[in-house]
Amino acid sequence: MGEAVEIFYPNGFSKICNGTTKNQPPVDETRQFDSWYEEEIDEDLKWSFALKSVLYKGSSEYQDIALLDTKRFGKVLVIDGKMQSAEVDEFIYHECLIHPALLFHSNPKTVFIMGGGEGSAAREALRHKFIDEVVMCDIDEEVVNFCRRYLTVNRDAFCNKKLNLVINDAKAELEKRTEKFDIIVGDLADPVEGGPCYQLYTKSFYEKILKPKLNENGIFVTQAGPAGIFTHKEVFSSIYHTIRQVFKYVLAYTAHVPSFADTWGWVMASDQPFSIGAEEIDKRLAERVDGELLYLNGSSFLSSATMNKTVYLSLLNETHVYTEENARFIPGHGLGNHL
């Protein structure tokens, strides 16, 4: 019999599984790892990877939190059993989330980030030299404090004088504010059944609360969930279609994120057209952004906005609009599906 393998399940509990079963040959001990993290992608699909150690496991008022040290992806932040970011490839997600909107805007000065408690979205926004203020609004103070302590890559961002950190519900915070913003970013958890975030993907929220807080030429961008050939109909196409009901110009784009085991999607929207090309994007990157990006440039962004035929037709033919009464949820994630 092989040594027991400890598998950490998405609800924060674990159980012991044997490394080998009856009639199987012994496990090659040189390749055996002591423990594995496992995430349920769907009811018939799971994603697991080997752990070096569990650095932290705990719960806040709102969600379960874990920081794992993994063999393949380095330090990994897991919230409510859902991979949020991994040390080795989080730059893909956060560069795609932040930089396109700021680059397509002619002169962005103010940014409001809904969510983003780990600080990576704020870090990328603060790389833009001419930004005056970044407001990061996250509901969970314990997650924010946890990330400030353990995610050392974002410590400079948390200490930046241009960052205004607010602990509040993003919807309530936007409602009460009198000022408007050039860029509003949705760095929210995926819409999961029983979770707190799905209302921030609805038409009424976009139309009545978010859009009125954008300046005249403002841009809204949000993460929009899995966008792979088999997963894009879960929420990506619906989020895209819902935003189209509110804004004149809507652009979907995607990128593969290895630690997510899928292609991921974002949606950018404005009442002003997105009309700059690859050369102008690269020019603005050189003029506005401190340091070199690791993933995005002008050509790669334009390529990311070209969907394959299957996804393109799904976006074109989608009819579902997010409402509080008629939402779509990502399967296999979140406390509501596991407790």
Side-chain angles (χ1 to χ4, degrees):
M1 298 289 289
E3 294 185 3
V5 178
E6 189 172 11
I7 302 179
F8 290 90
Y9 283 89
N11 58 11
F13 296 98
S14 62
K15 70 179 182 180
I16 302 297
C17 298
N18 290 326
T20 61
T21 58
K22 187 177 181 180
N23 299 326
Q24 286 185 330
V27 174
D28 180 356
E29 298 294 339
T30 64
R31 300 189 62 183
Q32 175 119 0
F33 301 119
D34 292 333
S35 55
W36 292 74
Y37 168 78
E38 182 176 283
E39 182 175 316
E40 183 178 309
I41 306 260
D42 210 335
E43 60 183 9
D44 61 350
L45 183 63
K46 294 179 180 180
W47 165 236
S48 62
F49 41 88
L51 297 180
K52 292 181 179 178
S53 63
V54 178
L55 300 174
Y56 177 88
K57 283 202 298 182
S59 297
S60 72
E61 178 183 353
Y62 300 98
Q63 49 207 346
D64 289 340
I65 313 163
L67 185 65
L68 314 176
D69 190 8
T70 72
K71 301 271 185 177
R72 176 62 60 93
F73 298 114
K75 291 180 182 178
V76 166
L77 177 66
V78 178
I79 293 180
D80 279 354
K82 175 72 171 66
M83 167 89 75
Q84 299 298 306
S85 68
E87 186 176 22
V88 301
D89 66 4
E90 58 88 6
F91 66 90
I92 302 173
Y93 172 93
H94 290 106
E95 286 187 14
C96 288
L97 175 68
I98 294 298
H99 295 293
L102 272 75
L103 293 168
F104 273 83
H105 193 286
S106 59
N107 187 27
K109 295 294 184 181
T110 55
V111 179
F112 186 96
I113 300 172
M114 302 186 295
E118 70 179 87
S120 298
R123 179 198 70 213
E124 292 301 316
L126 289 164
R127 294 178 67 180
H128 286 251
K129 303 172 188 176
F130 306 116
I131 288 292
D132 292 333
E133 182 184 32
V134 174
V135 178
M136 187 182 87
C137 181
D138 197 286
I139 196 171
D140 198 331
E141 185 173 15
E142 189 165 340
V143 167
V144 173
N145 289 337
F146 171 83
C147 292
R148 291 176 75 164
R149 179 179 178 182
Y150 289 103
L151 301 185
T152 56
V153 68
N154 295 331
R155 282 183 180 169
D156 288 344
F158 278 115
C159 295
N160 195 302
K161 293 180 179 179
K162 293 182 179 181
L163 179 66
N164 178 7
L165 175 59
V166 178
I167 304 300
N168 197 6
D169 173 75
K171 179 181 178 182
E173 186 66 25
L174 280 174
E175 280 183 304
K176 78 175 187 179
R177 283 184 173 256
T178 57
E179 75 269 38
K180 296 185 178 184
F181 298 89
D182 295 321
I183 309 290
I184 296 179
V185 178
D187 189 16
L188 301 164
D190 298 320
V192 296
E193 193 166 8
C197 288
Y198 79 90
Q199 294 183 7
L200 303 185
Y201 292 95
T202 60
K203 180 186 175 186
S204 62
F205 171 71
Y206 294 147
E207 192 170 51
K208 298 176 182 179
I209 297 174
L210 187 147
K211 188 176 181 181
K213 298 302 181 181
L214 280 171
N215 284 321
E216 185 178 354
N217 61 341
I219 297 175
F220 167 57
V221 63
T222 184
Q223 80 90 13
I229 195 76
F230 298 124
T231 55
H232 65 278
K233 289 185 178 181
E234 290 174 1
V235 295
F236 177 59
S237 60
S238 181
I239 292 171
Y240 170 79
H241 183 68
T242 301
I243 294 173
R244 286 188 65 192
Q245 311 309 301
V246 179
F247 291 90
K248 291 181 180 178
Y249 300 94
V250 180
L251 183 65
Y253 55 100
T254 65
H256 180 68
V257 181
S259 61
F260 289 175
D262 207 346
T263 299
W264 213 253
W266 298 265
V267 178
M268 186 167 66
S270 179
D271 281 345
Q272 304 297 321
F274 302 117
S275 56
I276 66 173
E279 289 186 6
E280 180 62 24
I281 292 173
D282 289 335
K283 180 183 177 184
R284 292 184 182 185
L285 275 170
E287 293 172 348
R288 299 182 183 183
V289 179
D290 283 325
E292 292 286 333
L293 300 189
L294 296 174
Y295 183 78
L296 273 184
N297 60 19
S299 297
S300 68
F301 175 74
L302 296 184
S303 175
S304 74
T306 302
M307 303 294 116
N308 63 63
K309 183 178 180 181
T310 296
V311 175
Y312 168 78
L313 290 175
S314 294
L315 296 181
L316 184 67
N317 296 320
E318 182 62 75
T319 60
H320 178 261
V321 174
Y322 259 92
T323 66
E324 287 81 357
E325 300 75 27
N326 185 22
R328 286 183 181 173
F329 302 108
I330 289 182
H333 301 314
L335 282 171
N337 290 337
H338 295 291
L339 294 184

